[in-house]
């Protein structure tokens, strides 16, 4: 495979990978999106206070875990393609593994964060329990 | 060995000296003291948000400066210091700071209670009305509030004079409005009055009435203590006496009607004056027997509201929250008290209780659990004739909603209000700890009455 083809393959793989992650992210935040849509309606003013809160929650806890590992994975993949004597699929698997580890680590950091006597994971669980399962 | 013995003896006697230094506040007869301190606006670059209606609204001017009023009461060996703060509510962490500053008064055996008038035209003292997910409290203002409360408390205690107490109540008409069906509220206005023996001492009227202090309505951005301020001013003008206001059972949502259309400032003045009319018309009878006692009960309320958890996680909510090591469930810690002054019984409750839970009545949703026994019925079982509720006292935990009418949104509970089969909106549930709160309050109240 020529160097030009390798780079094209890398870009294509990265695009597919990104698309999958974006779909996953959208699925994950769907519930938050629903909440925002409903709460954002013409409800009591006090309730509207919470709309941007959940917007921030979404920004802080959902999108960074998606884009951060992607960026890390893409950098790693680019670096790996500079190493010779290795097959492309090995490099791709290695890059995906790097991305997944970064993603899981980041999610764990966010979800297991503990402040003022409250575990962040419990906020999400409370949301699910109260709603009878929002499909998060 | 001798040195160790000497040290032990010294340690043994230190508490004795310490106790001796704390003068016990056990006087016979009736004594009272009053003080009022303004809460000065701090010179600060940080915003001062209006407490209520919508988040992120800063004050645009000053109609009147909120105050802390303090009333010291002593009756046949028991004493209490009642603080009334012109603000939307104070969570227990702020109350603890005020009590700490009044430790010398507390050590003398005086019970200290910090209540809020629930002014929705005051500055955010709970942190909920700033920009989203950010602390709404201004730390400089909170410090000024705590300092003013401590000064007022000390001055009221130091200004005590002997006299007599009278009590009376009057039924009001056209002064209350319930925004949520059924229309259940306490129409009575209660008054405890101190008449000093010496003519040089000013008397004081403590007024107990249950209504959201939001006569300035939702578009207002002027800083004010709302109608409690204008009530106090009117009483002072008409009788020359001091006046201190305590709010009651206001959940669900009890407020004063619009007496002047289209002019919020005139409306708040008129509302204060109308309430003052009733205060001046109260028929009083002297309190002649008994003593002053207070029983505090700590309680733990299961916490189901996701938003409370989130606010706690962000460090905004000041209420203590504990997680069970066994079940993983969260609970909010608070307290209530029963205060007896002679034959009068006061329930000092930590939030905005629905009147249905005090006097009974209300709506039951199909299949919903029954409400706990009304507090008034519990009080009567223990011999109380009247029960005067002081809400938002020593803590603010939100609305205390009847379980029989507790409806959450099916998909987005606590995030958006539910609408039941009859089309009634259930806004208050979104600002409540859980449906179990009413049961815990009733249990704790009975415990306080029993003991």
């Amino acid at each position: 495979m020529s160097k030009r083809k390798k780079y094209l393959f890398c870009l294509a793989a990265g695009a597919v990978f990104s698309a999958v992650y974006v779909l996953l992210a959208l699925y994950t935040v769907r519930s938050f999106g629903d909440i925002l849509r409903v709460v954002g309606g013409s409800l009591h003013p006090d309730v509207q206070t919470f709309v941007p809160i959940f917007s921030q929650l979404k920004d802080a806890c959902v999108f960074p875990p998606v884009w951060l590992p992607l960026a890390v994975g893409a950098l790693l993949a680019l670096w790996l393609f500079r190493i010779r004597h290795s097959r492309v699929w090995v490099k791709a698997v290695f890059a995906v593994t790097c991305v997944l580890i970064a993603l899981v680590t980041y999610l764990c950091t966010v979800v297991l964060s503990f402040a003022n006597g409250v575990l962040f994971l419990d906020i999400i669980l409370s949301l699910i329990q109260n709603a009878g399962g929002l499909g998060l | 060995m001798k040195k160790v013995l000497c040290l032990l003896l010294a340690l043994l006697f230190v508490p004795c000296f310490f106790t001796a230094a704390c003068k016990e506040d056990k006087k016979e007869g009736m004594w009272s003291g009053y003080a009022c301190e303004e809460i000065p606006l701090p010179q600060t670059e940080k915003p001062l948000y209006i407490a209520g209606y919508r988040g992120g609204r800063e004050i645009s001017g000053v109609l009147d400066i909120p105050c802390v009023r303090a009333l010291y009461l002593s009756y046949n060996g028991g004493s209490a210091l009642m603080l009334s703060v012109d603000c939307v509510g104070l969570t227990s962490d702020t109350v603890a700071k005020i009590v700490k500053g009044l430790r010398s008064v507390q050590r003398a055996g005086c019970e200290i209670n910090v209540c809020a008038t629930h002014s929705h035209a005051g500055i955010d003292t709970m942190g909920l009305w700033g920009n989203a997910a950010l602390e709404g409290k201004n730390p400089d203002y909170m410090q000024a509030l705590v300092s003013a409360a401590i000064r007022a408390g000390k001055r009221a205690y130091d200004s005590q004079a002997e006299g007599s107490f009278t009590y009376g109540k009057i039924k009001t008409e056209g002064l209350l409005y319930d925004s949520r069906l059924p229309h259940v509220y306490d129409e009575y206005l209660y008054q405890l009055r101190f008449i000093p023996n010496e003519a040089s001492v000013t008397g004081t009227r403590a007024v107990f009435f249950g209504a959201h202090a939001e006569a300035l309505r939702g578009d207002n951005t002027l800083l004010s203590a709302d109608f409690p301020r204008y009530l106090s001013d009117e009483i002072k003008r008409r009788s020359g006496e001091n006046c201190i206001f305590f709010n009651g059972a206001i959940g669900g949502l009890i407020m004063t009607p619009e007496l002047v259309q289209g002019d919020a400032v005139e409306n708040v003045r008129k509302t204060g004056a109308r309430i003052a009319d009733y205060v001046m018309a109260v028929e009083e009878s002297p309190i002649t027997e008994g003593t002053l006692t207070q029983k505090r009960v700590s309680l733990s309320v299961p916490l189901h509201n996701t938003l409370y958890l989130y606010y706690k996680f962000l460090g905004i909510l000041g209420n203590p929250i504990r997680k069970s090591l066994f079940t993983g469930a969260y609970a909010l810690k608070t307290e209530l008290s029963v205060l007896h002054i002679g034959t009068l019984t006061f329930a000092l409750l930590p939030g905005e209780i629905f009147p249905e839970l005090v006097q009974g009545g209300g709506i039951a949703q199909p299949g919903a659990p029954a409400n706990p026994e009304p507090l008034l019925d519990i009080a009567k079982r223990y011999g109380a004739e009247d029960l005067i509720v002081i809400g938002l006292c020593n803590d603010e935990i939100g609305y205390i909603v009847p379980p029989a009418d507790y409806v959450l949104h099916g998909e987005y509970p606590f995030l958006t209000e539910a609408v039941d089969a009859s089309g009634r909106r259930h806004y208050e549930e979104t600002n409540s700890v859980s449906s179990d709160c009413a049961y815990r309050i009733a249990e704790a109240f009975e415990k306080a009455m029993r003991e």
Side-chain angles (χ1 to χ4, degrees), chain B residues 23-24 35 62 97 100 110 122 165 176 187 193 200 214 235-237 308 313 316 333 344 347 368 389 407 449:
Chain B
K23 193 181 164 187
E24 281 275 315
V62 178
K97 286 177 191 168
K100 188 180 175 187
C110 182
F165 293 129
L176 290 172
E187 291 172 305
R193 187 178 176 194
S200 59
E214 49 183 40
I235 297 297
K236 189 80 179 173
R237 190 179 65 78
Y308 277 48
F313 179 82
I316 295 172
K333 300 270 183 185
L344 302 179
V389 170
V407 181
M449 287 297 297

Side-chain angles (χ1 to χ4, degrees), chain A residues 31 34-39 42-54 56-57 110 113-124 126-132 134, chain B residues 52-55 120 128-130 132-134 253 304-307 309-316 321-323 328 330 408-417 425 427 430-431:
Chain A
S31 300
D34 286 349
I35 292 164
L36 293 174
R37 183 172 52 76
V38 172
V39 179
S42 54
L43 299 169
H44 192 283
D46 279 7
V47 181
Q48 287 183 11
T49 306
F50 302 126
V51 176
I53 291 175
F54 276 88
Q56 289 197 4
L57 187 73
V110 172
S113 56
F114 187 82
N116 300 303
V118 177
L119 186 66
F120 188 83
L121 177 64
D122 288 334
I123 298 172
I124 299 168
S126 161
L127 204 62
I128 297 167
Q129 282 168 0
N130 286 327
L134 275 172
Chain B
Y53 306 107
R54 293 175 290 280
H120 271 288
L128 305 179
W129 290 278
L134 296 174
L253 182 152
H304 297 159
N305 193 326
T306 309
L307 291 168
L309 278 179
Y310 186 51
Y311 270 110
K312 187 66 185 175
F313 179 82
L314 294 173
I316 295 172
I321 287 174
R322 300 282 178 271
K323 184 180 180 180
Y330 287 88
L408 291 175
H409 193 280
E411 291 181 70
Y412 311 107
F414 300 112
L415 300 174
T416 183
E417 62 189 36
R425 296 167 68 182
Y427 155 70
T430 62
N431 287 330

Side-chain angles (χ1 to χ4, degrees), chain B residues 249-266:
Chain B
I250 59 172
L253 182 152
I254 315 301
M255 62 176 85
T256 54
E258 203 165 11
L259 300 175
V260 179
Q261 303 287 328
D263 188 341
V265 174
E266 194 51 40

Side-chain angles (χ1 to χ4, degrees), chain B residues 7 103 237 242 386 427 440:
Chain B
L7 188 66
R103 196 70 84 198
R237 190 179 65 78
N242 303 310
D386 258 336
Y427 155 70
R440 299 292 183 271

